[in-house]
Amino acid sequence: MVAVEPKSVPSAHQFTVVIDGVETAIHEGVLRCSGRGTVAVVGPGVLEVTRLRHVVVRGGGGGDVRFSRCGYAAAEGCGSASFDRCDAVRVDGARGVSVRRCRSADVERVDGAVAIRRCKGAARVRGAGELRVGRCREADVGGCADAAVARCRAARADWCGALALGRCGSAEVTRCGAVRVDRCRDASVAGCGAVAVRRGKVSVVEVQKLPMSPPMYQQVEPVLAAPVEITSK
């Protein structure tokens, strides 16, 4: 960090920022870092982080954090977090999350909505209210109330309420409530409630016994009966 430029921005929000292992607190002003990186308070409870190689933001009293063009970027216990054109991003505890054009995303414990678009790698979500994932190489979701996954090469879902899959390559679904599959090349569904299929091939597997409360939403290998294939066009 090179310089601090104070601003007269009244705010009760204080963020803890860890940049390349160095921790500092900020509630107003601008931190200028090497390589044109900046951390700036742009409004009451709003923090913008740009062009940092490795950064973690914690707290903020329910404030919002916006990351842009960072390497590794993480938000912990923030209000809402958005990421644009970063490499690896991680969220642990937030009110809402938005990820766009990042390499990979790892999101846990979000009370509200999560939107992930155009990840080159994997998008992993554990625990969210409303989830929307689109155009990612791989989606791995669990513990979401209402989830929709579209145009991903591979998708896995476990322990979700309502789940919609659209135009995915392969999909594996276990222990979800209402499942809707639209135009997936190969999907398997086990231990779920209602299953609706539109223009796809789905193998529905009856399950004799499944644990009711899996720890940390980890998938458990079910005891399988004979599979039943449903194909609709």
Side-chain angles (χ1 to χ4, degrees), residues 121-178:
R124 176 184 175 274
V125 181
R126 291 293 182 271
E130 180 183 273
L131 171 65
R132 299 294 181 264
V133 180
R135 295 183 181 273
C136 298
R137 174 171 294 181
E138 180 182 344
D140 185 357
V141 304
C144 300
D146 181 5
V149 179
R151 297 180 182 271
C152 296
R153 292 186 182 180
R156 290 189 299 273
D158 181 49
W159 211 256
C160 293
L163 174 68
L165 296 173
R167 297 179 182 270
C168 293
S170 63
E172 180 181 342
V173 182
T174 56
R175 296 178 295 188
C176 293

Side-chain angles (χ1 to χ4, degrees), residues 160-162 173-180 189-196 204-205 210:
C160 293
V173 182
T174 56
R175 296 178 295 188
C176 293
V179 179
R180 186 173 73 252
V189 179
C192 298
V195 180
V204 179
V205 182
L210 279 176

Side-chain angles (χ1 to χ4, degrees), residues 103-106 119-124 136-139:
R103 188 171 299 277
S104 65
D106 190 348
C119 276
K120 295 181 180 179
R124 176 184 175 274
C136 298
R137 174 171 294 181
E138 180 182 344

